[in-house]
Amino acid sequence: MKRLSIGTKITIWFSLMLLAVVALTYWIIITISGGVLQKTVRDNLIEAVEHNVDEIEFYSDINDMEIMNSMDYYVQYGTGVLEVDDDFLDEVNEVYTSLCKSDNELMYGENPIIREANEFEFSDSVIQKVTVDGVLYYIYDRKLTYEGLEDLWLRGVVSEEQGDLQLASITKTSLVLLPLLNLIAILGGYIIARRMLRPIKYISDTAAEISQGVDLKKRIDIGKGKDEIHKLADNFNNMFDRLDKSFQTEKQFTSDVSHELRTPMSVIMAQCELALEDSQTNEEYKEALETIYRQGGKMSRLINDMLDFTRLELNTGKYVKENTDMSGLTESVCLDMMLIKENGITLQCDVCDNIFINGNRELLTRLLTNLISNAYRYGKQDGNIWVNLAEDEENIVLSVKDDGIGIEPEAQEKIFKRFYQADSSRHGEGTGLGLSMVKEIAAFHGGTVAVESKLGEGATFICKFEKN
């Protein structure tokens, strides 16, 4: 069975919600609007009758009346005349108003159910109900209280069917408009969902191509934008950049390791073959074993350095950070390294007191040891090494300076790369991972390492760590 797409699921959910809203709307129209409309009908009845109260006047002397060109209606009443203003609403929106005497005699206006209504006594400002031929009518009376009108009443009548007609009209309109609007909303939602999800499909397809190794340089291009989908694409591209860089680094690392291990392995194999060919003297066997031991030691150091380097890169959690006395650590390492006394080189240490860093003591020790060992390795005969630890407002600064052979400008950018060794004549003394390890350890502690050097004048390695 084919699985539904996200766009289809969204459209179905959206459609069901709209259908629920439409059903709720119809229920509101049927159950609530009916009552509201009936109240409106009664309010209209009261409003019409109250309006007509002020449209009737009594004149005891006809000479007091201005009947010239008048559109008003005049009725003889008692000893005077009633004037019904032409604004009197005897029928408006099927609300009928009639002027009656107390004995129900109709004097003016309309009343479609006058016979049935006469059975009800007048009741001032009260709504009464009567059913005629199965139709409910509302009756509303108002007693006239002005001078000369004491025996007169206004009676208003309206059928509840007026509200039913309005409700039927609303329902009919709703039955047409709501489904139409519902259909338009569903189609619009489906189109919008497809358009919004199209970039996600492109992202998925591109990621699938990259994961299959078709083109690791391929990136997701959905145009410019600042919405969540564009941010997702940018994050994927950043991740692919990092993965591609990691793959390239891994390939280079594998190539470098293979190259570094090939030489000692070749030497070991050659010595073994030589020792096994013919009988050798004890001195020759001893020399072969020493060579094998020396090359094996180099391979062991290389393998250990690579393992530590990998742990640092992967940040596996082996190295725990804690509040470390950097001042004490630096002094301790310097005291130990002073005992080397290689090539007559003098190691001097200048450390500020009470400098602490959130770091791993083992790694920081290796960082300093590697820098000092590097200074010994490339220092001049009877030269000097200066180790300095200080701090300013923002950083802790550790520097290791020597007055040795220095580093060529073009080599200064390469010395922190793995397996790079600037002086090929001293290739056998290290693994080529020392300064790379220094850079990784500094980065592990949120710091940086840089070099300042002039050829023939020595070099200064500067590590900076942000204060806690």
Side-chain angles (χ1 to χ4, degrees), residues 185-374:
I186 291 174
L187 291 176
Y190 179 72
I191 293 172
I192 292 173
R194 283 182 60 87
R195 292 187 62 182
M196 293 298 294
L197 293 174
R198 189 179 298 125
I200 295 181
K201 184 177 183 303
Y202 181 73
I203 292 173
S204 177
D205 293 341
T206 304
E209 288 183 19
I210 295 174
S211 67
Q212 294 169 4
V214 176
D215 183 6
L216 295 180
K217 299 295 182 182
K218 188 177 180 64
R219 294 295 179 265
I220 300 169
D221 183 11
I222 57 174
K224 295 181 179 180
K226 295 183 179 180
D227 56 26
E228 290 81 357
I229 294 179
H230 284 83
K231 290 180 180 178
L232 176 64
D234 291 339
N235 289 333
F236 267 111
N237 285 333
N238 292 334
M239 180 184 68
F240 293 147
D241 288 338
R242 294 184 62 186
L243 288 175
D244 185 41
K245 183 178 179 181
S246 297
F247 292 152
Q248 296 301 324
T249 303
E250 189 68 25
K251 288 171 63 177
Q252 184 63 41
F253 183 73
T254 303
S255 175
D256 292 340
V257 169
S258 300
H259 177 76
E260 292 296 322
L261 291 176
R262 183 183 294 114
T263 300
M265 280 302 301
S266 298
V267 173
I268 291 173
M269 293 301 296
Q271 291 296 321
C272 289
E273 291 175 1
L274 180 62
L276 293 172
E277 280 182 358
D278 300 310
S279 297
Q280 306 287 327
T281 64
N282 289 337
E283 291 296 328
E284 289 174 332
Y285 279 125
K286 182 179 180 181
E287 183 180 348
L289 289 174
E290 288 176 348
T291 301
I292 292 172
Y293 179 78
R294 186 169 58 254
Q295 295 298 328
K298 180 178 179 179
M299 291 177 62
S300 178
R301 290 194 303 273
L302 179 61
I303 292 171
N304 288 332
D305 285 347
M306 287 190 300
L307 288 174
D308 291 336
F309 198 93
T310 302
R311 291 192 188 103
L312 267 177
E313 281 191 321
L314 296 178
N315 194 10
T316 58
K318 178 178 186 261
Y319 301 108
V320 179
K321 293 180 180 179
E322 58 185 0
N323 193 30
T324 303
D325 181 3
M326 192 65 181
S327 298
L329 183 147
T330 303
E331 289 178 343
S332 176
V333 172
C334 287
L335 287 174
D336 292 340
M337 299 294 285
M338 285 178 185
L339 301 176
I340 296 177
K341 296 182 179 180
E342 183 179 345
N343 296 327
I345 296 175
T346 301
L347 175 60
Q348 301 178 42
C349 185
D350 182 12
V351 176
C352 293
D353 295 331
N354 299 319
I355 295 179
F356 288 83
I357 184 173
N358 182 32
N360 180 272
R361 187 177 184 85
E362 178 186 347
L363 291 179
L364 292 171
T365 299
R366 174 169 292 190
L367 177 145
L368 186 54
T369 302
N370 285 356
L371 288 176
I372 296 176
S373 297
N374 189 73

Side-chain angles (χ1 to χ4, degrees), residues 150-175:
E150 292 82 0
D151 194 39
L152 297 177
W153 290 79
L154 285 179
R155 168 161 284 182
V157 176
V158 66
S159 169
E160 71 165 355
E161 289 185 345
Q162 183 191 20
D164 293 339
L165 291 175
Q166 295 178 17
L167 180 61
S169 177
I170 293 174
T171 303
K172 183 178 180 180
T173 303
S174 300
L175 286 172

Side-chain angles (χ1 to χ4, degrees), residues 28-292:
I28 291 174
I29 291 174
I30 293 172
T31 60
I32 299 178
S33 297
V36 172
L37 289 174
Q38 289 304 315
K39 183 178 183 304
T40 302
V41 169
R42 294 191 295 270
D43 291 343
N44 290 339
L45 171 64
I46 294 173
E47 182 181 357
V49 174
E50 294 292 344
H51 171 271
N52 289 333
V53 168
D54 297 326
E55 304 302 325
I56 300 174
E57 295 185 41
F58 174 79
Y59 293 93
S60 58
D61 188 351
I62 194 171
N63 293 323
D64 295 336
M65 302 172 59
E66 297 180 1
I67 60 176
M68 188 67 65
N69 299 323
S70 175
M71 299 293 294
D72 298 340
Y73 182 78
Y74 300 93
V75 180
Q76 185 70 36
Y77 179 67
T79 59
V81 177
L82 294 177
E83 179 185 19
V84 181
D85 195 273
D86 62 348
D87 291 333
F88 186 94
L89 303 176
D90 52 347
E91 189 278 324
V92 57
N93 295 329
E94 298 186 14
V95 178
Y96 301 92
T97 306
S98 57
L99 176 63
C100 305
K101 293 182 180 180
S102 296
D103 58 1
N104 289 322
E105 178 185 349
L106 178 65
M107 299 187 65
Y108 182 78
E110 297 184 36
N111 188 341
I113 55 167
I114 188 169
R115 183 187 308 171
E116 292 80 1
N118 287 341
E119 298 178 3
F120 290 86
E121 296 183 357
F122 291 104
S123 180
D124 190 33
S125 300
V126 175
I127 291 181
Q128 304 180 76
K129 300 178 182 179
V130 61
T131 301
V132 179
D133 297 330
V135 179
L136 177 67
Y137 287 85
Y138 298 108
I139 301 173
Y140 180 75
D141 300 322
R142 278 288 276 117
K143 181 175 178 60
L144 300 181
T145 57
Y146 296 125
E147 183 180 354
L149 305 177
E150 292 82 0
D151 194 39
L152 297 177
W153 290 79
L154 285 179
R155 168 161 284 182
V157 176
V158 66
S159 169
E160 71 165 355
E161 289 185 345
Q162 183 191 20
D164 293 339
L165 291 175
Q166 295 178 17
L167 180 61
S169 177
I170 293 174
T171 303
K172 183 178 180 180
T173 303
S174 300
L175 286 172
V176 175
L177 290 181
L178 288 179
L180 180 61
L181 292 174
N182 191 35
L183 179 61
I184 293 173
I186 291 174
L187 291 176
Y190 179 72
I191 293 172
I192 292 173
R194 283 182 60 87
R195 292 187 62 182
M196 293 298 294
L197 293 174
R198 189 179 298 125
I200 295 181
K201 184 177 183 303
Y202 181 73
I203 292 173
S204 177
D205 293 341
T206 304
E209 288 183 19
I210 295 174
S211 67
Q212 294 169 4
V214 176
D215 183 6
L216 295 180
K217 299 295 182 182
K218 188 177 180 64
R219 294 295 179 265
I220 300 169
D221 183 11
I222 57 174
K224 295 181 179 180
K226 295 183 179 180
D227 56 26
E228 290 81 357
I229 294 179
H230 284 83
K231 290 180 180 178
L232 176 64
D234 291 339
N235 289 333
F236 267 111
N237 285 333
N238 292 334
M239 180 184 68
F240 293 147
D241 288 338
R242 294 184 62 186
L243 288 175
D244 185 41
K245 183 178 179 181
S246 297
F247 292 152
Q248 296 301 324
T249 303
E250 189 68 25
K251 288 171 63 177
Q252 184 63 41
F253 183 73
T254 303
S255 175
D256 292 340
V257 169
S258 300
H259 177 76
E260 292 296 322
L261 291 176
R262 183 183 294 114
T263 300
M265 280 302 301
S266 298
V267 173
I268 291 173
M269 293 301 296
Q271 291 296 321
C272 289
E273 291 175 1
L274 180 62
L276 293 172
E277 280 182 358
D278 300 310
S279 297
Q280 306 287 327
T281 64
N282 289 337
E283 291 296 328
E284 289 174 332
Y285 279 125
K286 182 179 180 181
E287 183 180 348
L289 289 174
E290 288 176 348
T291 301
I292 292 172

